[in-house]
Amino acid sequence: MSWAETLRTSLEAVRAHRMRSLLTMLGIVIGIASVILTVGLGQGAQKEVRDQIDALGRNLLIVSPGSSTDSSGMRGGFGSASTLDLDDATAIADDTVAPDVAAVAPVTTSSSSVTAGDTNWTTQVSGTTTAWLDVRARTVASGRFFTQSEAESGAAVVVLASDTAGELFDRANPVGQTVRVGGTALTVIGVLEESGASSSGTSSEDDQAVVPLATAARLTGSSSTSLSTIYVEANDAESLSAAYQEVQALLLNLHDVGGSDEADFTVATQDSLVETANSTNETMTVLLTGVAAISLLVGGIGVMNIMLVSVSERVQEIGLRKALGATPSSIRRQFLLEASVLGLVGGLLGLGVGIVGALVLPSLIDQTVTVSALAAVGAVGTALALGIGFGVYPAGRAARLTPIDALRSS
């Protein structure tokens, strides 16, 4: 028999038992769909992390306070006290000390209630300098950002993020309106363009009120110059590593710390943040893919089982074909093709279910699902390999039958 004739015979054998074939493929369908969705969720999460961190700024270093040492020499936990102050930011901005640093934006944050008329909204109030807008790669959608003179004088002005403006003013234009923060009246002078990034696991870059540093100190009633974060922009991507080294060495010297292991601050790059987030996503993806692989294994065993049943049912056919001159290789080829068809069709159906799931899931779980062409081809190829792999033993068993034994057993 030619390959075309063998393929036709294999397809007829599969169609002859449609329900049995469908149930056999079900394990492969579920397994392939699970793999597609699992990998897609992982890739989607990595893309979101990359986009969000890119939205934080260009060529960015993020300096955060770490653990502090008290008078007894005991060290507090991460974030137990702010170990960064305005003097640190001023020193980093000195281009004679850190020549690879382009700009510095010190930030102090607090959670406060913002009121506009009868509307009240609790948000993050960020005190910073005029450099913040460029360092964080943000743009103003309407109005303007505060000026250097307003920053120095601690003017009663505020720039609202897009979500905050929407919560307080709905569809009205906030620019020129007055809001109250902790009892202090501030004039809204601008609204930021939507960012879509998260500054932390719980806060959004699109839900905050940005004020001058001196204004933030007046709102909180604090005379402290401590900072929550220092954002540092390097001159370009090539100088990011050099800027990291300069900032690290400068702060170690200013804080009189012996080495980075004892540092009371942390310096992170965008790449390190991406790697940290992606390592967690990749671990979860591997674990979930392992669970999906079990379903594929069950599907492969189902293919082997049904092929063994098929060999048992067609013993007389095998005997007659061998008596008429069919070679063991042609018998083996037919049963391998039948198993391959089950695997391939199951893989294609699973791919279809996975793609439909990738289109539907984002609206249900608010999570991007990315299906790449490589994952799709790999999934179908895996299903085909399963069909062939688990069809080898039944096909070999059919090929080993002798005509006389086959006819006798029938």
Side-chain angles (χ1 to χ4, degrees), residues 3-208:
W3 277 97
E5 183 67 19
T6 303
L7 179 60
R8 184 187 64 79
T9 305
S10 301
L11 291 174
E12 288 178 353
V14 172
R15 284 198 299 265
H17 302 88
R18 290 183 178 86
M19 183 57 66
R20 188 170 72 181
S21 299
L22 182 61
L23 293 175
T24 300
M25 292 184 291
L26 191 58
I28 294 178
V29 172
I30 295 173
I32 292 297
S34 300
V35 170
I36 289 289
L37 291 176
T38 300
V39 174
L41 282 168
Q43 292 179 339
Q46 290 178 11
K47 182 178 183 298
E48 283 191 353
V49 167
R50 178 78 259 180
D51 292 343
Q52 289 183 358
I53 292 177
D54 283 345
L56 294 178
R58 298 177 296 269
N59 309 319
L60 193 66
L61 296 175
I62 303 172
V63 186
S64 306
S67 57
S68 59
T69 305
D70 60 23
S71 58
S72 64
M74 296 297 291
R75 293 177 66 81
F78 181 84
S80 58
S82 181
T83 56
L84 298 175
D85 57 29
L86 200 53
D87 290 338
D88 293 323
T90 303
I92 296 172
D94 186 348
D95 57 9
T96 62
V97 179
D100 290 291
V101 171
V104 177
V107 176
T108 179
T109 59
S110 63
S111 180
S112 185
S113 177
V114 182
T115 305
D118 296 330
T119 306
N120 185 284
W121 182 252
T122 300
T123 187
Q124 175 179 283
V125 178
S126 301
T128 187
T129 63
T130 55
W132 183 88
L133 197 65
D134 290 331
V135 171
R136 299 299 309 279
R138 299 298 298 270
T139 56
V140 176
S142 61
R144 62 178 178 83
F145 204 65
F146 52 81
T147 63
Q148 184 63 32
S149 62
E150 289 172 330
E152 292 173 352
S153 64
V157 294
V158 61
V159 179
L160 300 178
S162 56
D163 289 352
T164 310
E167 293 291 343
L168 292 173
F169 296 98
D170 196 13
R171 297 181 181 179
N173 183 13
V175 178
Q177 302 293 326
T178 299
V179 298
R180 303 188 73 84
V181 180
T184 301
L186 301 176
T187 301
V188 180
I189 60 172
V191 177
L192 295 171
E193 194 75 49
E194 184 177 356
S195 164
S198 297
S199 57
S200 69
T202 57
S203 61
S204 167
E205 288 293 317
D206 292 324
D207 185 11
Q208 62 177 321

Side-chain angles (χ1 to χ4, degrees), residues 28 31-33 35-36 39 43 296 343-344 347-348 351 371-386:
I28 294 178
I32 292 297
V35 170
I36 289 289
V39 174
Q43 292 179 339
L296 283 175
L344 180 59
L348 292 173
L351 176 60
V371 179
S372 66
L374 181 62
V377 172
V380 174
T382 299
L384 179 60
L386 276 174

Side-chain angles (χ1 to χ4, degrees), residues 256-280:
D256 194 21
V257 179
S260 57
D261 292 340
E262 302 175 7
D264 56 358
F265 61 89
T266 57
V267 183
T269 65
Q270 290 165 293
D271 288 339
S272 67
L273 294 175
V274 171
E275 289 173 5
T276 301
N278 283 349
S279 64
T280 302

